[in-house]
Amino acid sequence: MAATAASGLQMATARPCISSSRRMVKAGAAILGANSKGASWAKLASGSHISYIQPFKRTLMSSSVKLNKVVTKAMSESNESKPVSGLPIDLRGKRAFIAGVADDNGYGWAIAKSLAAAGAEILVGTWVPALNIFETSLRRGKFDESRVLPDGSLMEITKVYPLDAVFDNLEDVPEDVKANKRYAGSSKWTVQEVAESVKQDYGSIDILVHSLANGPEVTKPLLETSRKGYLAAISASSYSYVSLLKHFLPLMNPGRPSFFCGSSISLTYIASERIIPGYGGGMSSAKAALESDTRASVLAFEAGRKNRIRVNTISAGPLRSRAAKAIGFIDTMIEYSLANAPLQKELSADEVGNAAAFLASPLASAVTGTVMYVDNGLNVMGVGVDSPIFKDLNIPTDKHQG
């Protein structure tokens, strides 16, 4: 169990930007620097579906942009009795279920690592057709480099469950899917069945993460998207979160007031509220629905009142994942972000993972119903400053690049 490897997470910044941050660092927060080449876990985990469309990472090994990233520092168990400097994230004794981990280069994987570094036990749900190759790669050590935590230990995944979040229960599964050879050998993979299996195996969880989506017609403009394709995107990318929360809510430990409240986290994208040409097939609508269920506080209200569970979503910037190739213009989006975001640096997976660790921790015990932007500030921009229209303006650039 990952809890034996770390007693908590300590947040630190590589280069504090304001004086108050410097004072905090002097008070005891560790300072760790990292650049893009040295970050072994700047990879992203794809969602569980082949056409998983989520903000993506680009590996710019030749780029002149240098990263001064937020990193996480695990504290070894030998230090458990010592006073903790800084502000720790301690998830020891907590159990997390992350839906949508199918490899080691997507968001789900990055979030799992941050939660594990903070001491949480990790359970994952993997899309059924990808289950065999994922478990084989994990068993043969192909992910070992990506499993390394900040304290040098390896992230342990306690159990991998087959999961297809498009189906709530076995009665919903069409016969052609049941007969599909990609599902052969797997059982109990609908949302209801997985929740029941987790309850039988472990009794309860504390953290639920929804890191999956699918848009079978994502490359089509919305006006060319079929009803079937549109509804498939909504089902896999939005309602799947409602279903997961519905079935896992009875398993989630409510915690105590002013301390730890159970946490549920999903992942969204700025296309939910801004026009991103090319992000089609109903995916922008699906992300808007996902955010509405969170930001309009419907899920936050119901889950909070019923079981004291917090519900938040992370809107991450453009990053590359293996499945991001489905939309075909990820490189362009990353270049646009680097040119126009307030923070001119490449967004890394661990920054999204760290945000999730914060939202899952007691430090965010009063935070629910929110959309947290982890995108270098791109969401606040009203225009693209790289436009030729602004060529004569003295627009500041990051003087630390190069």
Side-chain angles (χ1 to χ4, degrees), residues 14 25 51 56 63 66 69 74 122 138 144 149-150 217 224 242 248 269 278 304 308 358 370 394 398:
V25 170
S51 296
F56 312 103
S63 173
K66 295 184 178 179
K69 303 185 301 182
I122 304 299
L138 193 63
D144 282 359
L149 299 176
E217 298 182 17
E224 297 177 14
V242 177
F248 275 86
Y269 182 46
R308 200 181 295 136
F358 162 73
T370 66
N394 185 24
D398 186 351

Side-chain angles (χ1 to χ4, degrees), residues 325-400:
K325 297 177 181 179
I327 64 174
F329 63 99
I330 291 305
D331 288 356
T332 301
M333 292 306 301
I334 293 172
E335 290 169 0
Y336 179 86
S337 179
L338 286 169
N340 294 287
L343 300 178
Q344 288 188 281
K345 65 180 184 62
E346 184 183 351
L347 185 67
S348 63
D350 53 311
E351 291 173 306
V352 175
N354 293 345
F358 162 73
L359 288 174
S361 77
L363 297 180
S365 60
V367 180
T368 192
T370 66
V371 176
M372 175 182 283
Y373 295 92
V374 185
D375 63 355
N376 289 325
L378 186 63
N379 71 93
V380 305
M381 298 302 296
V383 296
V385 294
D386 62 343
S387 170
I389 295 176
F390 301 111
K391 62 182 178 62
D392 294 327
L393 295 182
N394 185 24
I395 296 176
T397 58
D398 186 351
K399 62 181 180 181
H400 300 295

Side-chain angles (χ1 to χ4, degrees), residues 58-132:
R58 179 186 185 191
T59 305
L60 299 173
M61 300 304 293
S62 62
S63 173
S64 62
V65 178
K66 295 184 178 179
L67 298 182
N68 291 306
K69 303 185 301 182
V70 175
V71 297
T72 51
K73 180 180 180 181
M75 294 173 287
S76 67
E77 197 158 293
S78 61
N79 293 328
E80 189 171 339
S81 61
K82 297 180 181 180
V84 177
S85 61
L87 197 59
I89 291 179
D90 188 351
L91 296 176
R92 287 172 300 167
K94 307 303 178 184
R95 182 177 295 116
F97 181 87
I98 299 102
V101 181
D103 54 35
D104 66 338
N105 73 342
Y107 281 118
W109 182 273
I111 292 173
K113 286 192 65 175
S114 286
L115 297 179
E121 180 179 12
I122 304 299
L123 311 175
V124 303
T126 299
W127 189 42
V128 184
L131 180 66
N132 183 56

Side-chain angles (χ1 to χ4, degrees), residues 32-317:
L32 299 177
N35 58 36
S36 58
K37 290 186 178 181
S40 65
W41 54 312
K43 299 178 179 179
L44 299 176
S46 70
S48 61
H49 290 75
I50 290 178
S51 296
Y52 173 55
I53 306 304
Q54 196 51 45
F56 312 103
K57 180 181 186 305
R58 179 186 185 191
T59 305
L60 299 173
M61 300 304 293
S62 62
S63 173
S64 62
V65 178
K66 295 184 178 179
L67 298 182
N68 291 306
K69 303 185 301 182
V70 175
V71 297
T72 51
K73 180 180 180 181
M75 294 173 287
S76 67
E77 197 158 293
S78 61
N79 293 328
E80 189 171 339
S81 61
K82 297 180 181 180
V84 177
S85 61
L87 197 59
I89 291 179
D90 188 351
L91 296 176
R92 287 172 300 167
K94 307 303 178 184
R95 182 177 295 116
F97 181 87
I98 299 102
V101 181
D103 54 35
D104 66 338
N105 73 342
Y107 281 118
W109 182 273
I111 292 173
K113 286 192 65 175
S114 286
L115 297 179
E121 180 179 12
I122 304 299
L123 311 175
V124 303
T126 299
W127 189 42
V128 184
L131 180 66
N132 183 56
I133 188 170
F134 176 71
E135 290 189 313
T136 300
S137 298
L138 193 63
R139 185 172 59 253
R140 293 180 178 177
K142 292 185 177 180
F143 297 153
D144 282 359
E145 183 179 352
S146 300
R147 290 171 58 203
V148 178
L149 299 176
D151 68 347
S153 64
L154 297 182
M155 174 179 68
E156 296 294 338
I157 297 177
T158 303
K159 187 166 182 176
V160 180
Y161 291 86
L163 171 68
D164 193 327
V166 168
F167 305 108
D168 295 332
N169 50 59
L170 194 59
E171 290 71 30
D172 292 341
V173 184
E175 290 301 322
D176 63 321
V177 175
K178 292 179 182 179
N180 192 310
K181 64 180 182 180
R182 296 188 299 172
Y183 288 76
S186 296
S187 61
K188 298 182 178 180
W189 41 260
T190 65
V191 176
Q192 179 181 331
E193 291 173 310
V194 173
E196 290 172 348
S197 296
V198 171
K199 181 178 181 179
Q200 182 177 354
D201 294 341
Y202 300 99
S204 64
I205 65 171
D206 304 280
I207 302 162
L208 176 66
V209 178
H210 176 275
S211 177
L212 52 87
N214 183 38
E217 298 182 17
V218 68
T219 58
K220 292 183 178 181
L222 188 57
L223 287 176
E224 297 177 14
T225 300
S226 69
R227 181 184 297 270
K228 181 179 179 180
Y230 184 93
L231 294 178
I234 294 288
S235 174
S237 311
S238 180
Y239 185 78
S240 58
Y241 183 45
V242 177
S243 181
L244 279 168
L245 194 53
K246 171 185 175 181
H247 289 93
F248 275 86
L249 191 63
L251 281 65
M252 299 185 71
N253 293 317
R256 302 191 302 273
S258 301
F259 182 61
F260 181 88
C261 295
S263 177
S264 180
I265 303 166
S266 63
L267 291 167
T268 185
Y269 182 46
I270 193 66
S272 62
E273 53 185 295
R274 299 285 189 272
I275 297 171
I276 306 293
Y279 192 78
M283 279 304 301
S284 58
S285 305
K287 292 302 181 183
L290 182 69
E291 286 189 26
S292 178
D293 288 339
T294 301
R295 184 161 48 189
S297 300
V298 177
L299 291 178
F301 177 79
E302 294 182 5
R305 288 297 182 94
K306 286 183 177 180
N307 212 34
R308 200 181 295 136
I309 301 301
R310 297 177 294 109
V311 179
N312 296 289
T313 188
I314 295 174
S315 182

Side-chain angles (χ1 to χ4, degrees), residues 18-36:
I18 56 177
S19 60
S20 61
S21 295
R22 294 191 181 97
R23 289 196 294 270
M24 289 176 65
V25 170
K26 291 179 180 178
I31 300 177
L32 299 177
N35 58 36
S36 58

